[in-house]
Each structure stands twice: as structure tokens, then as C-alpha cells.
Amino acid sequence: MVKTNKLSENMYDLSTVLDFDALDSVRPGTSLLVAGPAMSGKEALAMDVLKDGVGNGEGAVVVTTNDRASSVVDEFRTDVPEMDDSQLGVVDCRGDNSGGEAAQSGAYTHHVNSPGDLTGIGIGITKALEGLHKSGRDQGRLALVSLSTMLTYTDKKTVFKLCHILSSRLDSAGYVGVFTIDSGAHDDQTLQVIKQAFDGLIEFREEDGTRQARVMGLTSQPSEWKEL
Amino acid sequence: MSESDRPVVLIVEDEPDVAETYKLWLRNDYEVRMAHDGDEGLDLLDDSVDVVLLDRMMPGLSGDEVLERIRERDLGCRVSMVTAVEPDFDILEMGFDAYLSKPIRSEQLHETVENLLERSEYDTLLQEYYSLVEKQATLEASKSSAELEESDEYDELKEEIGELKSELSESLGGIGDDADFIATLRGLSNGEDE
């Protein structure tokens, strides 16, 4: 591989999506956990991080346990009209191979039998990354939505290891990763363990009827809670 | 455990000359066992085997069938397929950890075996890392932050976790290639029910 320009040194600016100083210069290879209660906007945030990257010409890989690959592709096309289909790869792990997606498009989609099929997910991610690399997208972002669903298929030990291995892979690729987890669905110890597999944490909460967020792990001190 | 501390390599190969050649190359570094067909290979397989070199085309059980049985038995060994031709299918999806196409040179054989052993080592480190992280989470849940600050055990644990983390990031070139990535994930699925 010839790397003439040091693209991998380019920092990612995620602060345009979520306005925190800690997010304005995120090192390639960083993996972030996005935790919050149900309906707090974590998944929308993860998707926005990817869409923002696509808008900058970067690649995007969505690993989803919840949404149909075709709906993800449609959503990206609608929200980022300038997107070229070659910028997006979707790994759909719902295990619902009802078909009917062949006519989809140029966006790469891969179907995995179940959120518990980690090898299948790995193969999907590998192919998506390979496609993006071939089309010259050397920077990109990956979202996994959601770890909570994966935790219903496999134990926390396996999910922890998966997160660690994925983070390492993203680090080698120079990508940024965002992984969502529903903080209300798991005990504190599980959350504490899963957090350790990541470089940083974006946390959401509801307080006095407002949505708040903070960022931890990327700077020496956690940020203050901030109203959104 | 094997009699020696050396890693165990099982060669499953129906051509005696070829099998002898591999053995000659490997015997200084590894404990080498040989099987002349798939059935014998399955008989010789146990927990002590680290790496299997499996010829794909053999009379009797084919390499693919032997692999399937190995995966069913949930053994922790890593398997490299040995083929006469460069495979035209996706090796990763077939469940092999690596492949070697004939004719194989000594250097190649060593590289492959070493890489497969490194993957097993990575799995072990990752398991250790997880155990420590879980221990840390348990301590954090049961003690106040003041107590944690006083605790030598907690300090040591954090230090150990840091060391393991950097050891992991150096192992396998930090999961720099696709084959390492998929094989490591496959190892997770295989070990899931333990």
C-alpha cells in the first residue's frame, strides 16, 4: 500500500454533530460508546456522526441489529443527497432474510443471520471496509446499533471482547467508531465492563425535562453536563 | 497439557513424503504429530493440539469435512488448510483460519504456524484482560471512591489492566489484517458456550 499523503493523521471533527470541545479533534482509531436511556437520541446521534462524515466525502459503515439495510440506505440518501452510493456499507444483522433488496443500489449491503453471528458480522464489516477502501475512502466512520440487542444474544464477556476487537480493527483502518447501548437495559456492572472496551463515552440523560449530554474519556477531565 | 512445553502441530496429509518434509521443517520448534488421513487426524486431535495443517484433498474424509468436525467438537486449535491450488472461494467464510497453497516453502510454513499461535496467544490475553476488567468493575461497584483510593489492590489491578491493554495492542499488529480480524471473531463464537 502506498500512502503518499498522511491521511490517517487527519483528525475527525464530531463537534459539528454534538457541540463539545472534546469532540472537535478526535484521533483516527477512536471508538466511542454512546450510552443513554431509551429514546434519548443515542441512535440518531450515531447516525448523524456518520452522515456528517459522508457529507465530508468520508466512508460510512452501519452495523444494525434493528433496521432493515434498505431503510438505512434510504435514510442516508434522503439526509445526505450528495452521497455517492459507494460511500456507504450496511451490515444488517436482524436475521430477516426476506429478500427483495437485490434491486437496492450500489450501496453495499450484507446480511447476517443473527446478531449473535459474530463471524458473519466480521465478514460483513471486512467487505464493507474493503469496498470503501477500493473506492478511495481512506477516512470513515462506523456505527454499531445497538450493543443492547447483541447483549440479548450473547453474554457480556463476548460483547466486551467483540468491542475490543472491533476497536482494534477500526484503529488499524484509521476509522472512528460509535457504538450505542441502552443504559436502562443493563445492570451497572455490565455497563462498567463494556465501557472499558472504549476510548471514550458520550452519555445522555433526561434531567428536569431536558435532554443533556456529556463526554468522558477523551480529555483528562470529563465535560460538564450540557443541555441539548 | 502436552509432555513438552512446545506448541503441538498436527499434520494431516495423505502423501507421506510431503508430510515428512513438513515434519522435518517444524520438528525443531514444535512437537509434531502426523496423521495420514482425516479419520486418523480426528483420532489424534485433543486439547493439546495448537495448530492443524489440514490437506484439503484426501481420500476418505475431505479436509472440509474434518474441519467441520473439529468445529463441532469445539476444540481451541487453529486450522490451516493446505491446497494444491490457490482457492477461488472465500477462505474466511469457510471457517479455516489460514491457507497454504502447495508447493509450500519452509519459511512460509513457519510464518503461518507462528501467526496461528499468535492468534491463540491473543485470545488468551483478551480473556485475561476481560477477567481483570470484570474484577475492576466488581471492586468499583462494592467500594466507595474513597475506599478505592486507599486500596492497593485496586491500584495494582489498574496497572495490570494498562499493561495488558498495551500488550494486546501490539499483538497481531493490533488486528491489522482481515484474516486476523475474522479468525479472532470466530474464536469468540467458538468459545462462547464454555
Side-chain angles (χ1 to χ4, degrees):
Chain A
M1 242 186 301
V2 188
K3 276 195 177 165
T4 43
N5 51 351
K6 282 196 127 189
L7 264 181
S8 61
E9 294 302 312
N10 290 348
M11 295 294 191
Y12 291 87
D13 182 1
L14 309 187
S15 65
T16 48
V17 180
L18 194 66
D19 187 17
F20 279 94
D21 290 343
L23 294 177
D24 69 9
S25 185
V26 175
R27 192 186 61 81
T30 302
S31 287
L32 299 168
L33 183 65
V34 184
M39 311 298 287
S40 57
K42 353 171 249 306
E43 298 184 357
L45 173 82
M47 289 303 152
D48 287 347
V49 165
L50 266 60
K51 287 171 193 163
D52 193 56
V54 169
N56 299 335
E58 293 170 18
V61 179
V62 178
V63 182
T64 174
T65 58
N66 308 337
D67 299 313
R68 210 173 252 287
S70 57
S71 8
V72 175
V73 175
D74 287 344
E75 186 188 319
F76 271 74
R77 280 192 190 136
T78 308
D79 293 352
V80 197
E82 68 270 33
M83 178 178 83
D84 187 282
D85 275 348
S86 68
Q87 283 177 268
L88 179 62
V90 184
V91 182
D92 175 343
C93 324
R94 292 168 316 128
D96 169 22
N97 281 317
S98 50
E101 293 206 278
Q104 251 309 303
S105 62
Y108 175 76
T109 57
H110 182 91
H111 291 264
V112 180
N113 290 330
S114 134
D117 177 6
L118 307 183
T119 311
I121 293 171
I123 289 171
I125 292 174
T126 299
K127 290 186 171 172
L129 289 175
E130 199 177 69
L132 291 170
H133 183 72
K134 273 188 192 148
S135 60
R137 313 286 173 181
D138 287 330
Q139 286 222 294
R141 309 175 184 195
L142 176 142
L144 190 153
V145 178
S146 83
L147 291 174
S148 293
T149 311
M150 302 202 92
L151 278 162
T152 63
Y153 283 82
T154 178
D155 57 14
K156 71 170 185 288
K157 177 176 82 181
T158 307
V159 172
F160 171 85
K161 290 180 179 178
L162 168 78
C163 292
H164 185 86
I165 295 167
L166 272 179
S167 306
S168 304
R169 184 72 191 92
L170 294 176
D171 193 17
S172 311
Y175 270 47
V176 161
V178 278
F179 297 64
T180 67
I181 192 163
D182 181 347
S183 50
H186 314 285
D187 57 58
D188 285 349
Q189 212 198 345
T190 301
L191 288 171
Q192 202 55 38
V193 165
I194 300 293
K195 271 181 211 169
Q196 288 287 337
F198 293 91
D199 304 300
L201 171 71
I202 299 174
E203 207 172 0
F204 285 89
R205 72 172 181 190
E206 299 267 350
E207 192 86 347
D208 309 324
T210 60
R211 278 175 64 226
Q212 302 183 344
R214 67 171 171 179
V215 180
M216 298 169 83
L218 295 181
T219 44
S220 53
Q221 293 293 320
S223 75
E224 298 291 325
W225 284 102
K226 197 191 259 187
E227 221 171 278
L228 300 176
Chain B
M1 286 300 286
S2 62
E3 291 158 11
S4 66
D5 287 336
R6 297 190 305 171
V8 177
V9 178
L10 172 65
I11 299 167
V12 187
E13 166 65 66
D14 62 307
E15 291 173 61
D17 295 354
V18 177
E20 281 298 336
T21 309
Y22 297 164
K23 183 180 181 181
L24 200 67
W25 286 339
L26 295 174
R27 68 176 179 194
N28 284 337
D29 300 304
Y30 309 104
E31 184 188 325
V32 180
R33 299 179 193 169
M34 296 212 284
H36 301 101
D37 60 35
D39 282 311
E40 196 185 349
L42 288 170
D43 285 344
L44 290 180
L45 255 180
D46 57 35
D47 277 339
S48 65
V49 176
D50 298 292
V51 171
V52 182
L53 299 173
L54 184 59
D55 189 32
R56 187 152 190 239
M57 298 283 276
M58 291 181 293
L61 282 180
S62 74
D64 294 358
E65 287 167 315
V66 175
L67 176 73
E68 202 175 307
R69 309 248 177 118
I70 292 176
R71 296 303 185 212
E72 275 166 15
R73 278 168 63 182
D74 211 14
L75 293 162
C77 60
R78 297 287 184 179
V79 185
S80 175
M81 180 176 68
V82 181
T83 56
V85 285
E86 192 99 348
D88 57 351
F89 45 82
D90 198 329
I91 180 80
L92 300 174
E93 286 179 67
M94 289 206 54
F96 289 97
D97 296 304
Y99 77 86
L100 284 157
S101 34
K102 293 179 179 178
I104 301 166
R105 287 173 297 112
S106 165
E107 194 188 320
Q108 253 180 319
L109 188 61
H110 274 278
E111 262 172 35
T112 301
V113 172
E114 272 161 37
N115 175 255
L116 294 179
L117 289 171
E118 198 183 343
R119 286 184 195 166
S120 302
E121 173 66 15
Y122 183 93
D123 293 347
T124 310
L125 284 177
L126 189 54
Q127 174 58 38
E128 238 173 276
Y129 182 55
Y130 171 77
S131 306
L132 293 181
V133 164
E134 199 185 31
K135 209 165 153 190
Q136 185 187 21
T138 311
L139 273 181
E140 284 170 352
S142 63
K143 290 186 193 296
S144 68
S145 37
E147 281 174 319
L148 288 175
E149 215 149 294
E150 294 287 301
S151 162
D152 290 340
E153 188 194 0
Y154 186 66
D155 275 349
E156 278 166 30
L157 194 56
K158 282 211 302 200
E159 201 174 308
E160 264 184 275
I161 288 175
E163 279 166 21
L164 260 181
K165 194 174 180 177
S166 56
E167 221 179 310
L168 270 170
S169 68
E170 279 156 31
S171 183
L172 288 176
I175 312 281
D177 81 36
D178 293 339
D180 286 340
F181 176 56
I182 303 290
T184 312
L185 288 178
R186 180 175 295 117
L188 280 191
S189 312
N190 291 342
E192 209 175 335
D193 306 322
E194 274 166 26

PDB file of all heavy atoms in Angstrom, chain A residues 12-40:
ATOM      1  N   TYR A  12     -10.778  13.786  13.260  1.00  0.00           N
ATOM      2  CA  TYR A  12     -12.207  13.869  12.954  1.00  0.00           C
ATOM      3  C   TYR A  12     -12.861  14.935  13.836  1.00  0.00           C
ATOM      4  O   TYR A  12     -12.635  14.957  15.044  1.00  0.00           O
ATOM      5  CB  TYR A  12     -12.883  12.522  13.233  1.00  0.00           C
ATOM      6  CG  TYR A  12     -12.474  11.426  12.284  1.00  0.00           C
ATOM      7  CD1 TYR A  12     -11.350  10.640  12.532  1.00  0.00           C
ATOM      8  CD2 TYR A  12     -13.221  11.166  11.146  1.00  0.00           C
ATOM      9  CE1 TYR A  12     -10.982   9.628  11.661  1.00  0.00           C
ATOM     10  CE2 TYR A  12     -12.864  10.141  10.264  1.00  0.00           C
ATOM     11  CZ  TYR A  12     -11.743   9.385  10.530  1.00  0.00           C
ATOM     12  OH  TYR A  12     -11.381   8.383   9.670  1.00  0.00           O
ATOM     13  N   ASP A  13     -13.653  15.769  13.222  1.00  0.00           N
ATOM     14  CA  ASP A  13     -14.379  16.781  13.986  1.00  0.00           C
ATOM     15  C   ASP A  13     -15.824  16.323  14.173  1.00  0.00           C
ATOM     16  O   ASP A  13     -16.628  16.380  13.244  1.00  0.00           O
ATOM     17  CB  ASP A  13     -14.329  18.120  13.245  1.00  0.00           C
ATOM     18  CG  ASP A  13     -15.030  19.224  14.037  1.00  0.00           C
ATOM     19  OD1 ASP A  13     -15.516  18.937  15.155  1.00  0.00           O
ATOM     20  OD2 ASP A  13     -15.082  20.356  13.531  1.00  0.00           O
ATOM     21  N   LEU A  14     -16.133  15.843  15.379  1.00  0.00           N
ATOM     22  CA  LEU A  14     -17.502  15.387  15.647  1.00  0.00           C
ATOM     23  C   LEU A  14     -18.308  16.473  16.345  1.00  0.00           C
ATOM     24  O   LEU A  14     -19.482  16.290  16.656  1.00  0.00           O
ATOM     25  CB  LEU A  14     -17.494  14.114  16.514  1.00  0.00           C
ATOM     26  CG  LEU A  14     -16.618  12.935  16.069  1.00  0.00           C
ATOM     27  CD1 LEU A  14     -16.887  11.720  16.951  1.00  0.00           C
ATOM     28  CD2 LEU A  14     -16.839  12.571  14.612  1.00  0.00           C
ATOM     29  N   SER A  15     -17.670  17.619  16.604  1.00  0.00           N
ATOM     30  CA  SER A  15     -18.358  18.656  17.374  1.00  0.00           C
ATOM     31  C   SER A  15     -19.450  19.348  16.560  1.00  0.00           C
ATOM     32  O   SER A  15     -20.328  19.999  17.107  1.00  0.00           O
ATOM     33  CB  SER A  15     -17.357  19.698  17.899  1.00  0.00           C
ATOM     34  OG  SER A  15     -16.780  20.390  16.811  1.00  0.00           O
ATOM     35  N   THR A  16     -19.396  19.174  15.229  1.00  0.00           N
ATOM     36  CA  THR A  16     -20.468  19.752  14.415  1.00  0.00           C
ATOM     37  C   THR A  16     -21.775  18.993  14.641  1.00  0.00           C
ATOM     38  O   THR A  16     -22.854  19.511  14.390  1.00  0.00           O
ATOM     39  CB  THR A  16     -20.105  19.669  12.911  1.00  0.00           C
ATOM     40  OG1 THR A  16     -19.659  18.355  12.618  1.00  0.00           O
ATOM     41  CG2 THR A  16     -18.995  20.648  12.563  1.00  0.00           C
ATOM     42  N   VAL A  17     -21.661  17.757  15.123  1.00  0.00           N
ATOM     43  CA  VAL A  17     -22.852  16.954  15.396  1.00  0.00           C
ATOM     44  C   VAL A  17     -23.285  17.126  16.849  1.00  0.00           C
ATOM     45  O   VAL A  17     -24.464  17.247  17.162  1.00  0.00           O
ATOM     46  CB  VAL A  17     -22.585  15.463  15.100  1.00  0.00           C
ATOM     47  CG1 VAL A  17     -23.822  14.628  15.387  1.00  0.00           C
ATOM     48  CG2 VAL A  17     -22.142  15.276  13.658  1.00  0.00           C
ATOM     49  N   LEU A  18     -22.304  17.129  17.737  1.00  0.00           N
ATOM     50  CA  LEU A  18     -22.578  17.313  19.162  1.00  0.00           C
ATOM     51  C   LEU A  18     -21.527  18.296  19.676  1.00  0.00           C
ATOM     52  O   LEU A  18     -20.338  17.999  19.650  1.00  0.00           O
ATOM     53  CB  LEU A  18     -22.483  15.966  19.901  1.00  0.00           C
ATOM     54  CG  LEU A  18     -23.054  15.909  21.307  1.00  0.00           C
ATOM     55  CD1 LEU A  18     -24.562  16.100  21.302  1.00  0.00           C
ATOM     56  CD2 LEU A  18     -22.707  14.572  21.967  1.00  0.00           C
ATOM     57  N   ASP A  19     -22.013  19.457  20.119  1.00  0.00           N
ATOM     58  CA  ASP A  19     -21.102  20.577  20.370  1.00  0.00           C
ATOM     59  C   ASP A  19     -20.343  20.465  21.693  1.00  0.00           C
ATOM     60  O   ASP A  19     -20.755  21.019  22.711  1.00  0.00           O
ATOM     61  CB  ASP A  19     -21.902  21.880  20.303  1.00  0.00           C
ATOM     62  CG  ASP A  19     -20.992  23.100  20.380  1.00  0.00           C
ATOM     63  OD1 ASP A  19     -19.783  22.943  20.167  1.00  0.00           O
ATOM     64  OD2 ASP A  19     -21.505  24.191  20.668  1.00  0.00           O
ATOM     65  N   PHE A  20     -19.235  19.722  21.659  1.00  0.00           N
ATOM     66  CA  PHE A  20     -18.349  19.632  22.824  1.00  0.00           C
ATOM     67  C   PHE A  20     -16.917  19.844  22.346  1.00  0.00           C
ATOM     68  O   PHE A  20     -16.540  19.322  21.289  1.00  0.00           O
ATOM     69  CB  PHE A  20     -18.444  18.241  23.469  1.00  0.00           C
ATOM     70  CG  PHE A  20     -19.627  18.057  24.364  1.00  0.00           C
ATOM     71  CD1 PHE A  20     -20.802  17.504  23.870  1.00  0.00           C
ATOM     72  CD2 PHE A  20     -19.570  18.433  25.701  1.00  0.00           C
ATOM     73  CE1 PHE A  20     -21.905  17.328  24.699  1.00  0.00           C
ATOM     74  CE2 PHE A  20     -20.667  18.269  26.529  1.00  0.00           C
ATOM     75  CZ  PHE A  20     -21.839  17.716  26.031  1.00  0.00           C
ATOM     76  N   ASP A  21     -16.122  20.577  23.123  1.00  0.00           N
ATOM     77  CA  ASP A  21     -14.727  20.792  22.750  1.00  0.00           C
ATOM     78  C   ASP A  21     -13.977  19.461  22.608  1.00  0.00           C
ATOM     79  O   ASP A  21     -13.118  19.305  21.743  1.00  0.00           O
ATOM     80  CB  ASP A  21     -14.003  21.648  23.802  1.00  0.00           C
ATOM     81  CG  ASP A  21     -14.518  23.082  23.776  1.00  0.00           C
ATOM     82  OD1 ASP A  21     -15.160  23.454  22.752  1.00  0.00           O
ATOM     83  OD2 ASP A  21     -14.304  23.806  24.758  1.00  0.00           O
ATOM     84  N   ALA A  22     -14.342  18.520  23.495  1.00  0.00           N
ATOM     85  CA  ALA A  22     -13.645  17.229  23.488  1.00  0.00           C
ATOM     86  C   ALA A  22     -13.854  16.472  22.177  1.00  0.00           C
ATOM     87  O   ALA A  22     -13.136  15.527  21.874  1.00  0.00           O
ATOM     88  CB  ALA A  22     -14.130  16.363  24.657  1.00  0.00           C
ATOM     89  N   LEU A  23     -14.846  16.894  21.400  1.00  0.00           N
ATOM     90  CA  LEU A  23     -15.164  16.157  20.168  1.00  0.00           C
ATOM     91  C   LEU A  23     -14.673  16.852  18.907  1.00  0.00           C
ATOM     92  O   LEU A  23     -14.902  16.373  17.805  1.00  0.00           O
ATOM     93  CB  LEU A  23     -16.681  15.941  20.059  1.00  0.00           C
ATOM     94  CG  LEU A  23     -17.319  15.032  21.111  1.00  0.00           C
ATOM     95  CD1 LEU A  23     -18.829  14.969  20.907  1.00  0.00           C
ATOM     96  CD2 LEU A  23     -16.736  13.625  21.042  1.00  0.00           C
ATOM     97  N   ASP A  24     -13.981  17.986  19.073  1.00  0.00           N
ATOM     98  CA  ASP A  24     -13.650  18.712  17.838  1.00  0.00           C
ATOM     99  C   ASP A  24     -12.401  18.205  17.126  1.00  0.00           C
ATOM    100  O   ASP A  24     -12.128  18.561  15.993  1.00  0.00           O
ATOM    101  CB  ASP A  24     -13.620  20.233  18.058  1.00  0.00           C
ATOM    102  CG  ASP A  24     -12.450  20.674  18.923  1.00  0.00           C
ATOM    103  OD1 ASP A  24     -11.575  19.840  19.213  1.00  0.00           O
ATOM    104  OD2 ASP A  24     -12.415  21.852  19.317  1.00  0.00           O
ATOM    105  N   SER A  25     -11.656  17.342  17.809  1.00  0.00           N
ATOM    106  CA  SER A  25     -10.464  16.815  17.154  1.00  0.00           C
ATOM    107  C   SER A  25     -10.216  15.391  17.653  1.00  0.00           C
ATOM    108  O   SER A  25      -9.384  15.145  18.513  1.00  0.00           O
ATOM    109  CB  SER A  25      -9.289  17.732  17.498  1.00  0.00           C
ATOM    110  OG  SER A  25      -8.148  17.347  16.812  1.00  0.00           O
ATOM    111  N   VAL A  26     -10.978  14.478  17.110  1.00  0.00           N
ATOM    112  CA  VAL A  26     -10.937  13.094  17.576  1.00  0.00           C
ATOM    113  C   VAL A  26      -9.940  12.298  16.731  1.00  0.00           C
ATOM    114  O   VAL A  26      -9.999  12.308  15.504  1.00  0.00           O
ATOM    115  CB  VAL A  26     -12.349  12.463  17.507  1.00  0.00           C
ATOM    116  CG1 VAL A  26     -12.291  10.985  17.882  1.00  0.00           C
ATOM    117  CG2 VAL A  26     -13.311  13.206  18.421  1.00  0.00           C
ATOM    118  N   ARG A  27      -9.026  11.645  17.409  1.00  0.00           N
ATOM    119  CA  ARG A  27      -7.960  10.900  16.739  1.00  0.00           C
ATOM    120  C   ARG A  27      -8.526   9.727  15.928  1.00  0.00           C
ATOM    121  O   ARG A  27      -9.422   9.034  16.398  1.00  0.00           O
ATOM    122  CB  ARG A  27      -7.018  10.361  17.822  1.00  0.00           C
ATOM    123  CG  ARG A  27      -5.697   9.808  17.354  1.00  0.00           C
ATOM    124  CD  ARG A  27      -4.940   9.185  18.531  1.00  0.00           C
ATOM    125  NE  ARG A  27      -5.677   8.073  19.157  1.00  0.00           N
ATOM    126  CZ  ARG A  27      -5.700   6.831  18.671  1.00  0.00           C
ATOM    127  NH1 ARG A  27      -5.046   6.525  17.576  1.00  0.00           N
ATOM    128  NH2 ARG A  27      -6.396   5.883  19.296  1.00  0.00           N
ATOM    129  N   PRO A  28      -7.986   9.495  14.707  1.00  0.00           N
ATOM    130  CA  PRO A  28      -8.408   8.312  13.952  1.00  0.00           C
ATOM    131  C   PRO A  28      -8.161   7.052  14.777  1.00  0.00           C
ATOM    132  O   PRO A  28      -7.139   6.953  15.456  1.00  0.00           O
ATOM    133  CB  PRO A  28      -7.491   8.320  12.723  1.00  0.00           C
ATOM    134  CG  PRO A  28      -7.027   9.711  12.583  1.00  0.00           C
ATOM    135  CD  PRO A  28      -6.989  10.296  13.970  1.00  0.00           C
ATOM    136  N   GLY A  29      -9.081   6.127  14.734  1.00  0.00           N
ATOM    137  CA  GLY A  29      -8.927   4.911  15.527  1.00  0.00           C
ATOM    138  C   GLY A  29      -9.660   4.964  16.846  1.00  0.00           C
ATOM    139  O   GLY A  29      -9.650   4.000  17.602  1.00  0.00           O
ATOM    140  N   THR A  30     -10.284   6.104  17.139  1.00  0.00           N
ATOM    141  CA  THR A  30     -11.007   6.233  18.408  1.00  0.00           C
ATOM    142  C   THR A  30     -12.364   5.543  18.326  1.00  0.00           C
ATOM    143  O   THR A  30     -13.082   5.696  17.345  1.00  0.00           O
ATOM    144  CB  THR A  30     -11.235   7.728  18.737  1.00  0.00           C
ATOM    145  OG1 THR A  30      -9.967   8.381  18.787  1.00  0.00           O
ATOM    146  CG2 THR A  30     -11.953   7.903  20.060  1.00  0.00           C
ATOM    147  N   SER A  31     -12.688   4.782  19.372  1.00  0.00           N
ATOM    148  CA  SER A  31     -14.018   4.183  19.446  1.00  0.00           C
ATOM    149  C   SER A  31     -14.764   4.743  20.641  1.00  0.00           C
ATOM    150  O   SER A  31     -14.227   4.801  21.745  1.00  0.00           O
ATOM    151  CB  SER A  31     -13.923   2.666  19.570  1.00  0.00           C
ATOM    152  OG  SER A  31     -13.540   2.121  18.335  1.00  0.00           O
ATOM    153  N   LEU A  32     -15.987   5.167  20.405  1.00  0.00           N
ATOM    154  CA  LEU A  32     -16.780   5.806  21.454  1.00  0.00           C
ATOM    155  C   LEU A  32     -18.027   4.995  21.752  1.00  0.00           C
ATOM    156  O   LEU A  32     -18.682   4.489  20.839  1.00  0.00           O
ATOM    157  CB  LEU A  32     -17.211   7.205  21.003  1.00  0.00           C
ATOM    158  CG  LEU A  32     -16.087   8.197  20.694  1.00  0.00           C
ATOM    159  CD1 LEU A  32     -16.643   9.424  19.989  1.00  0.00           C
ATOM    160  CD2 LEU A  32     -15.393   8.593  21.995  1.00  0.00           C
ATOM    161  N   LEU A  33     -18.332   4.908  23.049  1.00  0.00           N
ATOM    162  CA  LEU A  33     -19.583   4.294  23.452  1.00  0.00           C
ATOM    163  C   LEU A  33     -20.597   5.413  23.647  1.00  0.00           C
ATOM    164  O   LEU A  33     -20.290   6.427  24.281  1.00  0.00           O
ATOM    165  CB  LEU A  33     -19.384   3.515  24.762  1.00  0.00           C
ATOM    166  CG  LEU A  33     -20.596   2.753  25.290  1.00  0.00           C
ATOM    167  CD1 LEU A  33     -20.989   1.623  24.335  1.00  0.00           C
ATOM    168  CD2 LEU A  33     -20.308   2.172  26.678  1.00  0.00           C
ATOM    169  N   VAL A  34     -21.783   5.245  23.094  1.00  0.00           N
ATOM    170  CA  VAL A  34     -22.848   6.235  23.269  1.00  0.00           C
ATOM    171  C   VAL A  34     -23.913   5.582  24.136  1.00  0.00           C
ATOM    172  O   VAL A  34     -24.577   4.638  23.706  1.00  0.00           O
ATOM    173  CB  VAL A  34     -23.449   6.666  21.919  1.00  0.00           C
ATOM    174  CG1 VAL A  34     -24.476   7.775  22.128  1.00  0.00           C
ATOM    175  CG2 VAL A  34     -22.355   7.123  20.961  1.00  0.00           C
ATOM    176  N   ALA A  35     -24.026   6.050  25.391  1.00  0.00           N
ATOM    177  CA  ALA A  35     -24.921   5.415  26.345  1.00  0.00           C
ATOM    178  C   ALA A  35     -26.014   6.377  26.775  1.00  0.00           C
ATOM    179  O   ALA A  35     -25.778   7.575  26.942  1.00  0.00           O
ATOM    180  CB  ALA A  35     -24.136   4.941  27.569  1.00  0.00           C
ATOM    181  N   GLY A  36     -27.196   5.842  26.960  1.00  0.00           N
ATOM    182  CA  GLY A  36     -28.290   6.663  27.455  1.00  0.00           C
ATOM    183  C   GLY A  36     -29.538   5.829  27.540  1.00  0.00           C
ATOM    184  O   GLY A  36     -29.580   4.710  27.024  1.00  0.00           O
ATOM    185  N   PRO A  37     -30.573   6.384  28.214  1.00  0.00           N
ATOM    186  CA  PRO A  37     -31.825   5.635  28.299  1.00  0.00           C
ATOM    187  C   PRO A  37     -32.503   5.534  26.936  1.00  0.00           C
ATOM    188  O   PRO A  37     -32.082   6.193  25.982  1.00  0.00           O
ATOM    189  CB  PRO A  37     -32.660   6.467  29.270  1.00  0.00           C
ATOM    190  CG  PRO A  37     -32.016   7.797  29.356  1.00  0.00           C
ATOM    191  CD  PRO A  37     -30.597   7.647  28.944  1.00  0.00           C
ATOM    192  N   ALA A  38     -33.540   4.713  26.865  1.00  0.00           N
ATOM    193  CA  ALA A  38     -34.285   4.564  25.618  1.00  0.00           C
ATOM    194  C   ALA A  38     -34.810   5.912  25.159  1.00  0.00           C
ATOM    195  O   ALA A  38     -35.133   6.773  25.989  1.00  0.00           O
ATOM    196  CB  ALA A  38     -35.443   3.593  25.837  1.00  0.00           C
ATOM    197  N   MET A  39     -34.864   6.134  23.882  1.00  0.00           N
ATOM    198  CA  MET A  39     -35.422   7.340  23.285  1.00  0.00           C
ATOM    199  C   MET A  39     -34.664   8.616  23.643  1.00  0.00           C
ATOM    200  O   MET A  39     -35.213   9.698  23.606  1.00  0.00           O
ATOM    201  CB  MET A  39     -36.900   7.545  23.700  1.00  0.00           C
ATOM    202  CG  MET A  39     -37.796   6.337  23.547  1.00  0.00           C
ATOM    203  SD  MET A  39     -37.936   5.798  21.837  1.00  0.00           S
ATOM    204  CE  MET A  39     -38.983   7.086  21.184  1.00  0.00           C
ATOM    205  N   SER A  40     -33.405   8.490  24.023  1.00  0.00           N
ATOM    206  CA  SER A  40     -32.683   9.705  24.398  1.00  0.00           C
ATOM    207  C   SER A  40     -31.893  10.263  23.217  1.00  0.00           C
ATOM    208  O   SER A  40     -31.195  11.265  23.351  1.00  0.00           O
ATOM    209  CB  SER A  40     -31.757   9.425  25.584  1.00  0.00           C
ATOM    210  OG  SER A  40     -30.872   8.374  25.267  1.00  0.00           O
TER     211      SER A  40
END
